């Protein structure tokens, strides 16, 4: 037969209560245990526990053999001959302690008579630091407080809020960690200066304690919701003026903004009054990823700031490059009337590039002659021409992004080997660490006053006379006579290598050497091994690189 949910719940509760009553009757059908003054006592108090048999519940063979025993949990603490027992217990710890009375008849097993639980606790401390907040203009009021020490007893916390026109709201909780309550009501801004008073009272079997009243107005406790729908628009796609916009609760009066570049830890802070959901930013850097957050407040001096909004992360538009490329060159004769001129340049820094560099514009022109200007556009950081071996040449290189071009860097292509009296003297390198070298020199004698700048150039050594590596260089002021080179650290060598061209059932000998720019190491230890299985060389693998054992 079907039943309603309410009817089924009532039936279930009735069954549970019946079982509990029956269990109590079954457990204590032979006698009773009484506790005075109370089953709940304060810490340090004494308690009297009495146990008595009901009529006709003596030992069946010998009523004079009755022996009542009192247990504290599983430990025997008192016993007495006869039909009753009484004992005073002191020094009980905080919490609940179980006492059980049993009957022993001679040497037979002990029979459970009845039991009692005694709870030891303390009076609640006065709740402290009561405060209330309403999240948003339409949120509900939540109050929090410090409960103080644990009472170790069932304790109820009752929160009461009194408002204008004798309005009163109440709610309570009894959880072990009850230190906050949501009243489920929303205070309205119709009378923002009207006063409200909140108080919380802690109550248990030993006593009660109430907090000091907390008095506030609507403006004091309403914490606005964080702003939302944050977006930014840069006028004419330029960072000279970017407008940050957002949505806010209707009564928000103040805003504070914070923003920073994604690679920075420090924030730029801005306070705005009556911003109405927008603020102009005039100091952003181009082509930079920024993070923006906003907070709101309803009143100049009352209330609290909202939490920070969800961050907006976006990249500002590009601007034309401002930096000038660092350019250097090499020149090599090919034959009696031709030479190879190679130009090299370094990437602009992020702050100089102000955007993604799309390509470089390169030009080479004979200074005094009828040769046409050579021009090219490349995405690389070098370019090489073969030109006439006579005459003086000049080059210009600039970087371009989507917004424009950097100022061109001009450099005259001169014969460095013919520097003559301007050549520095006694050039010598010295290793400083595994990845740095100090190069020192002496000024060029009597021509030293004519030196405007030194250029230190170096390149990676190519064993075996292979293709010449591109140069590296740095500029040094004329007052310096040394420079630190720290750009060529070697990578970590791998420590494993697959060998997939071995023949089965052939014994091989394996050894290893290490190779650096300084040379090759001696052989390491040798090891013989034999591969079993299919011939991998027959499957199209490369030739063997290991020597079969002779």
């Amino acid at each position: 037969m079907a039943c309603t949910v309410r009817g089924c719940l009532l039936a279930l509760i009735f069954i549970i209560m019946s079982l509990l009553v029956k269990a109590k009757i079954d457990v204590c059908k032979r006698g009773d245990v009484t506790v005075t003054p109370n089953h709940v006592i304060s810490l340090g108090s004494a308690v009297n526990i009495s146990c008595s048999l009901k009529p006709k519940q003596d030992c069946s063979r010998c009523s004079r053999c009755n022996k009542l025993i009192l247990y504290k949990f599983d430990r025997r603490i008192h016993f007495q001959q006869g039909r009753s027992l009484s004992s005073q217990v002191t020094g009980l710890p905080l919490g609940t302690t179980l006492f059980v009375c049993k009957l022993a008849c001679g040497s037979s097993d002990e029979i459970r008579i009845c039991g009692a639980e005694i709870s030891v606790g303390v009076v609640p401390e006065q709740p402290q630091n009561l405060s209330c907040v309403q999240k948003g203009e339409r949120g509900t009021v939540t109050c929090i407080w410090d409960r103080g020490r644990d009472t170790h007893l069932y304790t109820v916390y009752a929160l009461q809020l009194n408002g204008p026109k004798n309005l009163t709201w109440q709610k309570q909780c009894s959880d072990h960690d009850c230190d906050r309550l949501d009243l489920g009501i929303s205070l309205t801004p119709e009378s923002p200066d009207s006063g409200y008073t909140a108080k919380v009272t802690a109550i248990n079997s030993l006593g009660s304690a109430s907090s000091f009243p907390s008095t506030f107005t609507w403006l004091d406790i309403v914490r606005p919701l964080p702003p939302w729908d944050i977006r930014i628009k840069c006028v004419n796609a330029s960072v000279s003026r970017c407008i940050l916009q957002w949505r806010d609760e209707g009564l928000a009066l103040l805003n504070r903004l914070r923003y920073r570049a994604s690679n920075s830890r420090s924030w730029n802070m801005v306070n705005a009054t009556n911003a109405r959901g927008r603020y102009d930013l005039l100091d952003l850097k181009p082509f930079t990823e920024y993070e923006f957050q906003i907070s709101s407040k309803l009143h100049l001096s009352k209330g609290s700031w909202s939490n920070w909004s969800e961050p907006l992360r976006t990249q500002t538009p590009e601007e034309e490059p401002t930096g000038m490329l660092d350019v250097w060159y090499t020149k090599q004769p090919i034959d009696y009337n031709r030479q190879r001129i190679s130009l090299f340049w370094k990437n602009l820094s992020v702050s100089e590039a102000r955007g993604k560099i799309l390509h470089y514009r390169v030009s080479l022109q004979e200074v005094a002659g009828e040769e046409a200007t050579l021009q090219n556009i490349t995405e690389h950081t070098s370019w090489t021409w073969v030109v006439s071996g006579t005459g003086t040449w000049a080059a210009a290189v600039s970087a371009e992004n989507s917004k424009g071009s950097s100022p061109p860097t001009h450099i005259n292509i001169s014969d460095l080997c013919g520097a003559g009296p301007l050549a520095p003297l006694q050039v010598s390198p010295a290793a400083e660490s595994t990845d740095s070298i100090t190069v020192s020199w002496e000024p060029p004698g009597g021509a030293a006053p004519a030196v405007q700048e030194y250029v230190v150039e170096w390149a990676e050594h190519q064993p075996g006379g292979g293709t010449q590596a591109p140069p590296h260089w740095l500029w040094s002021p004329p007052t310096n006579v040394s420079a630190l080179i720290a750009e060529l650290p070697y990578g970590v060598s791998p420590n494993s290598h697959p060998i997939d061209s071995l023949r089965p059932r052939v014994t091989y000998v394996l050894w290893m050497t290490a190779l650096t720019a300084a040379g090759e190491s001696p052989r390491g230890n040798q090891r013989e091994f034999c591969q079993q299985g299919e011939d991998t060389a027959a499957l199209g693998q490369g030739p063997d690189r290991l020597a079969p054992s002779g």
Side-chain angles (χ1 to χ4, degrees):
M1 182 178 191
C3 65
T4 65
V5 174
R6 177 178 174 82
C8 291
L9 287 175
L10 290 174
L12 179 60
I13 292 173
F14 177 77
I15 293 172
I16 293 174
M17 294 300 294
S18 299
L19 291 174
L20 291 175
V21 172
K22 185 177 184 299
K24 173 69 175 177
I25 294 173
D26 290 342
V27 170
C28 295
K29 66 180 181 180
R30 293 180 176 272
D32 295 301
V33 171
T34 58
V35 178
T36 56
N38 203 309
H39 283 261
V40 179
I41 60 174
S42 59
L43 181 65
S45 299
V47 66
N48 291 314
I49 302 175
S50 299
C51 176
S52 60
L53 293 174
K54 292 181 179 179
K56 301 181 181 180
Q57 298 299 324
D58 303 272
C59 294
S60 57
R61 296 180 180 179
C62 176
S63 60
R64 292 176 300 174
C65 299
N66 293 343
K67 181 181 180 181
L68 294 176
I69 307 170
L70 183 64
Y71 284 87
K72 177 183 177 182
F73 291 118
D74 294 329
R75 185 171 63 88
R76 180 183 297 188
I77 63 170
H78 189 66
F79 67 90
Q80 188 169 323
Q81 298 291 140
R83 295 181 51 83
S84 64
L85 172 150
S86 182
S87 176
Q88 185 181 68
V89 179
T90 59
L92 291 179
L94 290 168
T96 300
T97 303
L98 174 64
F99 293 89
V100 176
C101 180
K102 294 183 179 181
L103 172 63
C105 297
S107 60
S108 61
D109 293 338
E110 296 175 352
I111 302 171
R112 182 184 177 99
I113 302 300
C114 196
E117 288 184 340
I118 298 177
S119 297
V120 179
V122 294
V123 176
E125 288 186 329
Q126 182 186 43
Q128 301 287 330
N129 303 321
L130 174 63
S131 63
C132 300
V133 64
Q134 177 173 308
K135 293 183 179 180
E137 297 175 11
R138 298 177 179 84
T140 56
V141 176
T142 299
C143 298
I144 61 174
W145 59 89
D146 295 333
R147 295 182 300 116
R149 64 185 177 187
D150 188 0
T151 66
H152 296 272
L153 298 175
Y154 177 81
T155 302
V156 173
Y157 291 86
L159 175 65
Q160 179 173 311
L161 177 64
N162 298 321
K165 301 179 182 179
N166 295 323
L167 292 175
T168 299
W169 298 271
Q170 291 181 332
K171 199 169 185 179
Q172 66 182 36
C173 61
S174 57
D175 295 334
H176 177 70
D177 57 351
C178 178
D179 57 6
R180 65 175 54 228
L181 271 174
D182 186 342
L183 284 171
I185 61 166
S186 179
L187 304 184
T188 62
E190 297 171 356
S191 301
D193 294 322
S194 297
Y196 296 85
T197 301
K199 183 175 68 173
V200 63
T201 302
I203 308 168
N204 65 17
S205 301
L206 300 178
S208 64
S210 296
S211 68
F212 290 117
S214 174
T215 302
F216 50 82
T217 66
W218 183 86
L219 284 171
D220 291 326
I221 72 163
V222 174
R223 177 181 296 167
L225 296 177
W228 67 95
D229 192 20
I230 303 173
R231 57 204 182 277
I232 191 169
K233 178 182 179 181
C234 293
V235 180
N236 297 325
S238 172
V239 294
S240 60
R241 182 188 175 202
C242 292
I243 304 172
L244 188 65
Q245 296 177 293
W246 65 91
R247 295 179 64 188
D248 229 333
E249 292 199 281
L251 297 179
L253 178 65
L254 297 176
N255 291 104
R256 56 182 179 180
L257 289 63
R258 68 180 186 181
Y259 60 97
R260 63 182 176 184
S262 59
N263 60 355
S264 173
R265 291 187 176 182
S266 59
W267 292 93
N268 299 298
M269 302 292 296
V270 175
N271 291 323
T273 304
N274 290 320
R276 300 304 180 194
R278 61 175 290 157
Y279 189 84
D280 289 1
L281 295 169
L282 309 177
D283 62 346
L284 300 183
K285 297 178 181 179
F287 199 60
T288 303
E289 183 174 336
Y290 279 95
E291 178 181 359
F292 302 89
Q293 285 186 294
I294 309 172
S295 177
S296 302
K297 197 167 180 280
L298 300 182
H299 193 270
L300 291 173
S301 58
K302 295 183 178 181
S304 58
W305 288 99
S306 73
N307 293 331
W308 288 106
S309 66
E310 290 295 321
L312 169 68
R313 296 181 177 90
T314 188
Q315 190 176 66
T316 53
E318 295 186 0
E319 298 286 353
E320 66 179 7
T322 57
M324 296 181 65
L325 293 167
D326 184 356
V327 180
W328 192 234
Y329 65 92
T330 62
K331 56 182 296 186
Q332 296 174 308
I334 298 176
D335 50 37
Y336 69 93
N337 65 351
R338 291 187 305 160
Q339 63 178 337
R340 179 182 293 110
I341 295 177
S342 298
L343 294 174
F344 306 90
W345 54 91
K346 299 177 182 178
N347 292 321
L348 294 174
S349 66
V350 174
S351 60
E352 293 173 327
R354 306 211 303 175
K356 180 181 179 182
I357 298 301
L358 303 176
H359 52 254
Y360 300 92
R361 189 174 298 274
V362 191
S363 65
L364 183 68
Q365 183 178 18
E366 189 177 9
V367 176
E370 298 181 356
E371 290 281 350
T373 300
L374 304 174
Q375 294 185 342
N376 192 66
I377 293 177
T378 179
E379 296 179 2
H380 304 289
T381 56
S382 64
W383 192 254
T384 299
W385 285 278
V386 175
V387 297
S388 170
T390 61
T392 302
W393 296 82
V397 188
S398 60
E400 297 184 1
N401 62 17
S402 64
K403 290 297 185 69
S405 175
S406 68
T409 299
H410 297 277
I411 188 168
N412 292 323
I413 311 298
S414 59
D415 186 2
L416 298 177
C417 294
L422 287 177
L425 305 175
Q426 303 296 325
V427 178
S428 63
E432 292 291 330
S433 62
T434 58
D435 57 1
S436 63
I437 296 174
T438 297
V439 179
S440 58
W441 61 89
E442 293 183 3
V451 175
Q452 297 179 352
E453 206 165 18
Y454 291 107
V455 181
V456 181
E457 178 186 334
W458 70 97
E460 184 178 352
H461 174 66
Q462 298 293 317
T467 304
Q468 183 175 357
H472 301 265
W473 69 96
L474 58 82
W475 302 86
S476 182
T479 55
N480 286 4
V481 290
S482 66
L484 180 67
I485 298 174
E487 301 182 21
L488 296 169
Y490 285 96
V492 178
S493 300
N495 58 7
S496 65
H497 179 73
I499 302 174
D500 54 8
S501 58
L502 305 181
R503 296 184 181 277
R505 296 177 297 280
V506 174
T507 300
Y508 290 88
V509 179
L510 174 68
W511 70 87
M512 292 184 63
T513 62
L515 183 68
T516 68
E520 184 175 9
S521 72
R523 290 184 180 184
N525 63 301
Q526 295 186 1
R527 178 180 176 184
E528 291 188 2
F529 66 94
C530 182
Q531 174 94 347
Q532 303 295 326
E534 191 175 5
D535 188 345
T536 57
L539 299 178
Q541 303 295 333
D544 292 334
R545 291 176 180 258
L546 297 178
S549 176

